[in-house]
């Protein structure tokens, strides 16, 4: 693994590249650099981003930095300095071995003693056979209403926080039920997102995803797909979806930065059609991003 620690800079600090580089320190393989009193590991109090890298190209960097900023605002953490993170991403990616795909992870925690902690890591990623084979998902009740963001902002819906224990427990529940992944449903009956992904379905030729206002994380991969569909003149919209909508869809995918588009093969054991051609086209478009 490749790891660098960052001295946290205010978002509006403008310094030259050499001084900026001095705020980013190699941290070996990352072992032994974090205090046990850091509120990241101690409470899951922090935020992160995972960026997909194809070859040596990190994808949708600005969208990830914008979302890191949004998460920082929601958690009352200092807004990140984009120039510093861009440089850190470039340095981490430059050290990657020559592989097809990798992942870069940006982390900011509340730290200790009032000082936030920040680091970046980069690791090669495995192949993703599910892009072709599809995934089996189960519907799991998230126990929260679709207006949670407005009603209970302290639950931090819409932020990418380090508190993923619940998301990982949901994945384990899916595995116990013989499935691969999860589609969360709100307590008022709307399909939300996966524990690490955005859901997109195709209904009557239109690509549909739930609106970010429904208490989900706005996906950077979904945003990139929307840009591609816009370019191709293909219809796409944000709309609340029910489980029945998904079961009746022409196709469905779970989208995320590293795995990209994984077609849904079945929901709670009921088969869903997979469109291999369209899936390949979507993944080609997502892999060829140059922004
Ligand atoms: N929703 C949740 C809860 C996630 O954790 C993620 C990514 O990990 C996504 C959606 C998809 O976001 P992105 O496409 O930016 O990876």
């Amino acid at each position: 693994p490749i790891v660098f620690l960052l001295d946290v800079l205010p978002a509006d600090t403008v310094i030259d590249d050499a001084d900026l580089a001095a705020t980013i320190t190699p941290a070996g393989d990352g072992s032994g650099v974090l205090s046990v009193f850091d509120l990241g590991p101690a409470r899951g109090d922090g935020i992160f981003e995972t960026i997909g890298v194809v070859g040596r190209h990190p994808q949708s960097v600005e969208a990830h930095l914008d979302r890191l900023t949004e998460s920082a605002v929601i958690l009352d953490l200092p807004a990140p300095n984009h120039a510093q993170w861009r440089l850190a991403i470039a340095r981490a990616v430059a050290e990657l071995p020559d592989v097809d795909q990798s992942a870069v992870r940006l982390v900011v925690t509340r730290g200790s003693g009032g000082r936030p902690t920040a680091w970046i890591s980069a690791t090669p990623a495995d192949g993703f056979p599910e892009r072709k084979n599809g995934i089996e998902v189960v519907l799991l009740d998230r126990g929260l209403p679709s207006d949670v963001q407005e009603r209970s902002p302290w639950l931090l819906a819409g932020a990418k926080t380090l508190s993923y224990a619940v998301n990982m427990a949901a994945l384990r529940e899916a595995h116990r039920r013989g499935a691969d992944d999860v589609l969360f449903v709100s307590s008022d009956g709307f399909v939300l997102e996966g524990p690490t992904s955005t859901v997109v379905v195709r209904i009557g030729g239109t690509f549909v995803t739930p609106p970010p206002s429904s208490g989900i994380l706005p996906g950077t991969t979904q945003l990139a797909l929307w840009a591609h569909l816009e370019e191709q003149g293909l219809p796409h919209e944000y709309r609340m979806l029910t489980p029945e909508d998904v079961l009746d869809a022409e196709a469905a995918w779970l989208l995320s930065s590293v795995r990209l588009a994984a077609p849904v093969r079945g929901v709670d054991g009921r088969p869903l059609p997979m469109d291999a051609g369209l899936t390949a086209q979507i993944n080609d478009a997502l892999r060829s991003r140059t922004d």
Side-chain angles (χ1 to χ4, degrees):
I2 297 152
V3 187
F4 292 89
L5 288 177
L6 280 75
D7 299 334
V8 172
L9 292 178
D12 55 2
T13 301
V14 181
I15 52 176
D16 65 34
D17 278 1
D19 288 338
L20 206 52
T23 67
I24 302 165
T25 322
D29 66 359
S31 57
V33 290
L34 204 59
S35 160
V36 295
F37 298 107
D38 192 287
L39 294 172
R43 288 184 177 158
D45 194 351
I47 54 179
F48 76 106
E49 283 296 324
T50 302
I51 301 177
V53 183
V54 174
R56 291 203 184 272
H57 187 81
Q59 302 194 291
S60 291
V61 169
E62 286 313 310
H64 282 285
L65 292 179
D66 287 346
R67 191 170 63 187
L68 189 66
T69 301
E70 184 55 29
S71 296
V73 168
I74 295 173
L75 269 80
D76 299 317
L77 282 166
N81 183 299
H82 286 208
Q84 184 190 30
W85 280 107
R86 272 195 295 270
L87 187 61
I89 293 164
R91 283 184 64 182
V93 167
E95 295 211 6
L96 278 166
D98 194 11
V99 291
D100 180 49
Q101 40 195 9
S102 311
V104 167
R105 202 158 182 270
L106 285 47
V107 183
V108 182
T109 81
R110 204 169 301 280
S112 56
R115 276 170 54 95
T117 306
W119 70 88
I120 187 168
S121 61
T123 41
D126 294 334
F128 295 95
E130 58 270 49
R131 286 180 195 160
K132 280 210 168 68
N133 303 340
I135 49 172
E136 187 67 38
V137 306
V138 291
L139 297 166
L140 293 184
D141 183 0
R142 188 175 247 175
L144 297 167
S146 56
D147 63 351
V148 63
Q149 199 161 18
E150 203 183 329
R151 247 215 264 208
S152 316
W154 47 89
L155 293 183
L156 308 177
K160 196 165 166 71
T161 81
L162 288 174
S163 311
Y164 262 45
V166 166
N167 302 37
M168 296 302 109
L171 278 180
R172 290 195 299 276
E173 178 62 23
H175 296 156
R176 270 194 291 275
R177 296 184 188 192
D180 308 300
D181 216 317
V182 174
L183 250 182
F184 281 127
V185 180
S186 66
S187 56
D188 48 343
F190 295 102
V191 168
L192 298 171
E193 62 183 346
T196 64
S197 58
T198 309
V199 60
V200 171
V201 299
R202 191 155 180 258
I203 301 173
T206 299
F207 291 83
V208 186
T209 197
S213 59
S214 56
I216 61 173
L217 189 75
T220 62
T221 317
Q222 172 267 319
L223 210 59
L225 174 61
W226 257 225
H228 170 70
L229 297 173
E230 184 73 32
E231 230 176 67
Q232 300 286 310
L234 293 170
H236 50 284
E237 64 182 30
Y238 293 95
R239 196 205 311 162
M240 300 296 271
L241 292 166
T242 63
E244 291 69 38
D245 292 330
V246 177
L247 283 163
D248 291 343
E250 292 138 26
W253 298 268
L254 291 187
L255 260 56
S256 51
S257 292
V258 183
R259 189 173 64 180
L260 302 177
V264 177
R265 199 174 58 220
V267 178
D268 283 347
R270 293 162 66 176
L272 227 71
M274 287 204 294
D275 188 328
L278 190 52
T279 301
Q281 197 190 318
I282 290 171
N283 278 321
D284 286 348
L286 291 173
R287 279 176 56 86
S288 63
R289 273 175 284 175
T290 53
D291 61 333

